[in-house]
Amino acid sequence: MGSLLSRLLASRPMAGAGPTMVVKDLVLIGGGHSHVIVLKSFAMKPMPGVRLTLVTRDVHTPYSGMLPGFVAGHYTYDDCHIDLRPLAELTNARLLHCCASGLDLVNRSVTLADGRPPIRYDVLSIDIGITPLQSVEGARELTFPVKPIDSFTKRWDALRSRILSLAPGSSVRVVAVGGGAGGVELLLAMQHRLQQDCLKSHVDASFVLVTRGELLPTHNARVRSILRRILRERGVQVIDAAVVAVRRRRGEGGRVQGSPEGVVSSRSSNWESGVEGGPPLEGSGFTQEWLVQEAHGVVVHGGVLVLEGGEEVEFDECVWCTQGGAASWLSQTGLALDNAGFIRVGDTLESISHKGVFAVGDIHSSDIYPRPKAGVFAVRQGMPLAENLRRALMEHPLKPFKPQSTFLSLISTGDKYAVFSRGSLAFEDGLMWTLKDRIDRAFMRQFSQLPAMPSPPAPTIPVAHTAGPEALLALKSLPMRCGGCGSKVGSSLLARVLSRLAALPSRPPGRPEILLGLDSPDDGAVMEIPPDRMGGNQKPVIVQTVDFFRSFLADPYTFGRIAALHALSDCFAMGADPVSALAIVTLPFGTEEKVEEELFQLMAGAIRELDAATCQLVGGHTVEGPELSLGFAVTGLAEKDRLLRKAGMCVGDSIILTKPIGTGVIFAANMRSKAKGRWVDGAIGSMLVSNQKAAAIALQHEATAATDVTGFGLIGHLVEMTNASRVTVSIDPSTVPILDGALECTQGGIFSSLQDSNLRLRRAISNYEEASTHPLTSLLFDPQTAGGLLLSVPHARATQCLLALHSGGYPAAAVIGRVVSLTEEACGGPSVTIECNQ
């Protein structure tokens, strides 16, 4: 399969190889099993004129069949998660990392959360899985659900952390509610992992399974008997009863046996279910914490399951494994739904009420072929769905699909042992787990071992062979040039052109109102408003700046936000208040409807950030071109005496970087399908953090100089500051904040196409030969898009400045160096030393 896909990719037209036109939009909501198969199908056989968009809450979609193995410790996170970003890149699909919250079936659009505008579709497919159905009183507050699986892994890590934090000699009771195959598998996997943890920390753990009615009701009697025996042998108490309520446990002290005095656990109950189900997550774990409730001197720990008949089951941790429900927003769409709120489809997987809308996986409900909610059916629906999506786009008749009536189940028991179940057959053996492991890994290899994106062939220019090695190198890299600030012209080349322009004869003298221009380059030009024009003694100045680059994201809304933040950043870096902006847009050719929608999404994202900065969009210009590009000319106002400049660094100052670096290499890797989705998400998240507040903090702490780190990399922009200030500096690379995944990219030999140009500034490093051996040095030259601020702050104010940055939304901000000495040279000599003794 991999070699076939490589050949197909190599033979298809490359993006940017010529004019393309979007005629129809195929939108996939959700990154479920069926949709990843659709993405793979469209990678192998794209449809010219069709733009594919994936709307997904998470970029790493879990494979449910391997979740118990992950919980038991047999698989890593990456083993059992499909990274959707490389798959989307391979498919040339737009990936929108957000939640759907509604549909407009009349205007054929999808409503999105997080303030994004709706997106249009011609054909739509929904594969969003199920959401927690914790209708029992108190269950939402005191237990956590397995579904949706994509957020369960974070909650599982948090649960383990809580148990591992118990004092030696403590005891803990873990309860699972739900006696289906999923609940049994999960509890046995949890027991296997937690018993190992508890053995190391000397904590006693007990396990209880609560099931209403027969255990594993969809399996044969022999399978049920085997698993009841295994549960009994493993010491798991099985209680056959329905849970009617979940309540807090109150008692004397309310403390876990053996836990530290006064330390108890209770779940925070202030979250509500998200748009696609499940509680919001903060950071890396679920928002549950150890706490003491002091109201009336009563403390609360864990909870109690109240069963039919009044029996109570106490627990310290409770996992809810019962059947999930449908997302609540579907009830407002107008789609035909069954009594449980799932989307009713016919035998073609198309909605019975609306043509061009499909539903698959757990969220669909078939009147003709009712089946249990199981991942195996979602996997089998993938290829029939892909076929019918193509037919719907072409307005051809759809093909019916009949799912199998029985299926193979391999139910793992935590310790690399499994039970075979199919129809009336049942077997148990370690070999069954080996079989399951092979089947699961084979499925995942289809999506984890993707071929590298083939580079477009370099254009044939025979005369380049006579122009020297630099021309040949430029020709070779031409097809894979980076976007964002990686597409900028190199600083050395730019400096040479500006020097030649300044030397042109018969140029008029500069205007007196221009305080900073091409003769003293900074982040923006500065023009003083003469006092007689303003009246009084005010000394305001105008700051003007411009930025423009081509897109490096398939999501126009997010690209619009980043482009606006990047353009605003120059104003912020100078301590200016942005007032107005003019947009410059290049849009790929297409039908009027599609071009209008692309421009709307792009500018909606940009206006979100311009409005947040109280910067008014006052006009702009659009042209057609081969690639989506966006830029802004921004005008701001500042107080003349409070301008932040590149010049002004003082000996003894601390050098602070407010945001991590690494966007250039991560997006260079993303172009080659070599970046993990979470790396790209981390880079996007960093770029979407405005520098406005950081600039205000810098002014409050008497920063002496500032700039923003963009296309010339950290070293390039630092050298601009040292040259303007006539100082030398020392940098410790081990203190420079780095984006997750950036170091892995450089170690894999992946760099931005602007890296070589930026490396020409290595002449400014006094000890480059020694520094080049440091693993982080190459990242110091990495071009950044919407990077952080580089500040020079008096040493006495640096600690407080850093604390203010951390609390102000810049948690990665760090002191990375210091200003060492003055120098006589304005530029040209080495001004940076990289400390390599760490």
Side-chain angles (χ1 to χ4, degrees):
M1 178 67 75
S3 60
L4 172 60
L5 182 54
S6 297
R7 292 196 298 273
L8 288 168
L9 289 171
S11 64
R12 73 177 184 175
M14 295 300 301
T20 59
M21 186 172 75
V22 176
V23 179
K24 289 190 175 182
D25 276 298
L26 168 60
V27 175
L28 309 179
I29 303 178
H33 299 351
S34 298
H35 279 178
V36 297
I37 292 171
V38 169
L39 286 170
K40 189 73 173 288
S41 169
F42 275 75
M44 296 178 68
K45 187 181 178 183
M47 290 186 72
V50 173
R51 176 170 56 195
L52 199 156
T53 301
L54 173 66
V55 178
T56 178
R57 180 182 51 206
D58 293 278
V59 296
H60 291 268
T61 189
Y63 177 45
S64 57
M66 297 177 80
L67 178 68
F70 168 75
V71 169
H74 306 316
Y75 300 123
T76 67
Y77 180 91
D78 287 329
D79 286 338
C80 59
H81 285 76
I82 298 170
D83 193 340
L84 295 176
R85 278 206 181 272
L87 191 57
E89 288 290 324
L90 201 66
T91 314
N92 285 330
R94 301 192 301 181
L95 190 153
L96 310 189
H97 188 190
C98 59
C99 293
S101 57
L103 298 178
D104 182 344
L105 295 169
V106 175
N107 295 307
R108 303 177 76 82
S109 67
V110 179
T111 306
L112 303 175
D114 193 29
R116 294 180 63 121
I119 59 168
R120 299 281 182 87
Y121 68 84
D122 294 290
V123 175
L124 175 70
S125 181
I126 304 173
D127 184 12
I128 58 175
I130 55 180
T131 64
L133 196 58
Q134 295 169 285
S135 55
V136 172
E137 177 192 350
R140 173 168 291 185
E141 291 81 7
L142 295 170
T143 72
F144 73 79
V146 174
K147 298 294 181 75
I149 292 174
D150 46 19
S151 54
F152 170 79
T153 55
K154 299 182 180 72
R155 299 193 286 266
W156 166 241
D157 287 341
L159 184 152
R160 287 188 65 212
S161 296
R162 289 193 299 274
I163 291 178
L164 287 169
S165 69
L166 294 174
S170 302
S171 61
V172 62
R173 174 184 269 189
V174 180
V175 175
V177 178
V184 172
E185 268 194 300
L186 190 63
L187 182 65
L188 289 171
M190 292 170 63
Q191 183 192 45
H192 179 77
R193 187 70 171 274
L194 291 176
Q195 282 184 335
Q196 296 178 45
D197 292 340
C198 291
L199 186 64
K200 295 176 183 176
S201 55
H202 303 288
V203 171
D204 180 48
S206 59
F207 299 85
V208 179
L209 178 67
V210 179
T211 176
R212 181 178 62 183
E214 185 61 71
L215 194 72
L216 288 96
T218 61
H219 294 267
N220 64 63
R222 173 66 179 150
V223 171
R224 295 196 293 270
S225 175
I226 290 172
L227 283 163
R228 278 193 177 276
R229 188 202 78 235
I230 290 172
L231 289 166
R232 186 171 57 253
E233 290 173 351
R234 305 279 176 85
V236 176
Q237 181 185 4
V238 179
I239 299 175
D240 185 355
V243 179
V244 297
V246 186
R247 295 175 184 162
R248 296 187 184 279
R249 183 170 69 193
R250 300 177 184 273
E252 296 180 3
R255 192 163 60 80
V256 188
Q257 179 185 345
S259 66
E261 197 69 35
V263 178
V264 298
S265 87
S266 176
R267 307 201 186 285
S268 169
S269 59
N270 60 354
W271 54 264
E272 294 294 335
S273 182
V275 234
E276 287 186 14
L281 302 173
E282 294 180 2
S284 61
F286 191 42
T287 56
Q288 302 171 346
E289 57 188 24
W290 297 100
L291 57 85
V292 178
Q293 292 196 359
E294 299 179 350
H296 309 293
V298 179
V299 291
V300 182
H301 167 68
V304 176
L305 300 180
V306 181
L307 308 181
E308 281 182 327
E311 182 184 354
E312 295 185 348
V313 178
E314 293 190 352
F315 64 84
D316 299 306
E317 301 287 351
C318 184
V319 184
W320 205 261
C321 308
T322 60
Q323 184 66 56
S328 59
W329 60 266
L330 290 173
S331 64
Q332 307 299 318
T333 60
L335 289 170
L337 308 176
D338 68 10
N339 292 334
F342 296 100
I343 303 170
R344 295 175 62 192
V345 301
D347 60 359
T348 62
L349 304 176
E350 186 179 44
S351 164
I352 64 169
S353 61
H354 291 81
K355 288 189 175 182
V357 178
F358 295 77
V360 287
D362 288 349
I363 201 61
H364 96 296
S365 174
S366 174
D367 296 343
I368 304 172
Y369 303 116
R371 295 291 184 269
K373 306 289 185 190
V376 63
F377 293 113
V379 171
R380 294 295 178 86
Q381 288 169 342
M383 290 309 295
L385 173 66
E387 173 67 18
N388 276 339
L389 291 176
R390 294 177 188 274
R391 287 175 170 269
L393 288 162
M394 295 295 295
E395 300 183 2
H396 290 170
L398 305 181
K399 293 178 67 174
F401 164 67
K402 181 179 179 180
Q404 74 268 35
S405 56
T406 61
F407 60 94
L408 167 66
S409 285
L410 292 165
I411 305 167
S412 60
T413 60
D415 57 345
K416 295 192 176 182
Y417 193 88
V419 179
F420 175 105
S421 172
R422 180 164 188 154
S424 61
L425 300 176
F427 307 101
E428 58 172 313
D429 202 311
L431 290 175
M432 295 300 102
W433 190 90
T434 302
L435 174 63
K436 174 179 171 57
D437 178 61
R438 288 181 178 176
I439 292 172
D440 291 340
R441 288 186 184 274
F443 176 76
M444 293 296 290
R445 274 196 297 271
Q446 299 177 68
F447 310 103
S448 61
Q449 298 181 6
L450 299 173
M453 288 291 287
S455 299
T460 302
I461 304 178
V463 72
H465 293 273
T466 67
E470 186 173 350
L472 292 174
L473 181 62
L475 186 64
K476 183 179 179 181
S477 65
L478 182 62
M480 292 293 282
R481 301 297 291 179
C482 292
C485 259
S487 62
K488 289 180 70 169
V489 172
S491 60
S492 299
L493 184 154
L494 186 60
R496 291 195 300 271
V497 171
L498 292 176
S499 176
R500 291 171 64 187
L501 290 174
L504 289 174
S506 303
R507 296 198 64 192
R511 294 180 61 97
E513 299 97 328
I514 304 301
L515 302 183
L516 294 176
L518 292 181
D519 56 341
S520 52
D522 217 295
D523 290 310
V526 177
M527 183 172 72
E528 183 173 23
I529 303 174
D532 57 347
R533 296 189 186 181
M534 295 293 296
N537 297 318
Q538 299 179 53
K539 293 184 179 180
V541 292
I542 293 175
V543 176
Q544 293 180 310
T545 181
V546 62
D547 261 299
F548 179 81
F549 47 71
R550 57 192 178 89
S551 179
F552 54 95
L553 285 174
D555 175 0
Y557 179 83
T558 301
F559 173 57
R561 291 183 64 190
I562 292 171
L565 285 169
H566 185 89
L568 291 166
S569 184
D570 282 332
C571 264
F572 298 147
M574 300 196 76
D577 179 27
V579 175
S580 67
L582 292 165
I584 314 137
V585 187
T586 302
L587 290 161
F589 175 72
T591 64
E592 185 172 314
E593 177 191 1
K594 299 303 180 185
V595 171
E596 177 183 342
E597 183 66 15
E598 185 87 344
L599 181 59
F600 171 68
Q601 293 287 332
L602 182 75
M603 296 311 298
I607 285 175
R608 172 173 173 171
E609 300 302 337
L610 293 173
D611 288 350
T614 62
C615 179
Q616 185 173 342
L617 181 67
V618 295
H621 183 70
T622 60
V623 295
E624 287 182 355
E627 294 179 287
L628 181 66
S629 302
L630 176 63
F632 295 90
V634 179
T635 299
L637 290 175
E639 296 179 36
K640 182 178 179 181
D641 297 335
R642 298 197 72 201
L643 270 178
L644 285 171
R645 298 268 314 271
K646 292 177 182 176
M649 301 176 91
C650 299
V651 174
D653 281 359
S654 295
I655 300 171
I656 294 177
L657 178 63
T658 63
K659 294 204 289 186
I661 61 173
T663 61
V665 294
I666 287 174
F667 278 95
N670 191 51
M671 287 177 64
R672 297 161 175 80
S673 296
K674 297 294 186 183
K676 294 185 184 299
R678 58 182 176 272
W679 298 351
V680 176
D681 274 3
I684 291 173
S686 179
M687 289 188 284
L688 289 174
V689 176
S690 170
N691 284 327
Q692 186 170 24
K693 194 169 185 180
I697 291 170
L699 284 169
Q700 291 166 8
H701 292 83
E702 301 176 357
T704 58
T707 189
D708 59 336
V709 180
T710 55
F712 301 151
L714 176 60
I715 291 294
H717 291 286
L718 179 60
V719 169
E720 288 180 330
M721 295 177 75
T722 59
N723 287 346
S725 303
R726 299 195 179 195
V727 296
T728 65
V729 299
S730 177
I731 297 296
D732 180 357
S734 66
T735 63
V736 175
I738 304 294
L739 286 168
D740 183 30
L743 185 58
E744 289 90 334
C745 292
T746 59
Q747 290 174 338
I750 298 174
F751 297 96
S752 166
S753 56
L754 192 58
Q755 180 83 2
D756 286 342
S757 180
N758 286 352
L759 273 171
R760 291 176 181 171
L761 277 175
R762 61 184 178 271
R763 65 179 182 273
I765 298 176
S766 62
N767 61 332
Y768 181 75
E769 186 174 348
E770 176 191 12
S772 64
T773 62
H774 195 288
L776 296 178
T777 296
S778 60
L779 278 170
L780 304 182
F781 296 88
D782 185 52
Q784 303 303 294
T785 300
L789 297 184
L790 192 58
L791 308 172
S792 182
V793 177
H795 179 70
R797 302 298 306 273
T799 299
Q800 290 303 313
C801 181
L802 204 58
L803 290 173
L805 287 167
H806 290 165
S807 62
Y810 307 90
V815 173
I816 64 169
R818 57 195 172 87
V819 181
V820 177
S821 64
L822 296 172
T823 178
E824 295 298 323
E825 297 292 331
C827 60
S831 60
V832 179
T833 299
I834 295 180
E835 299 175 14
C836 301
N837 55 353
Q838 300 296 319

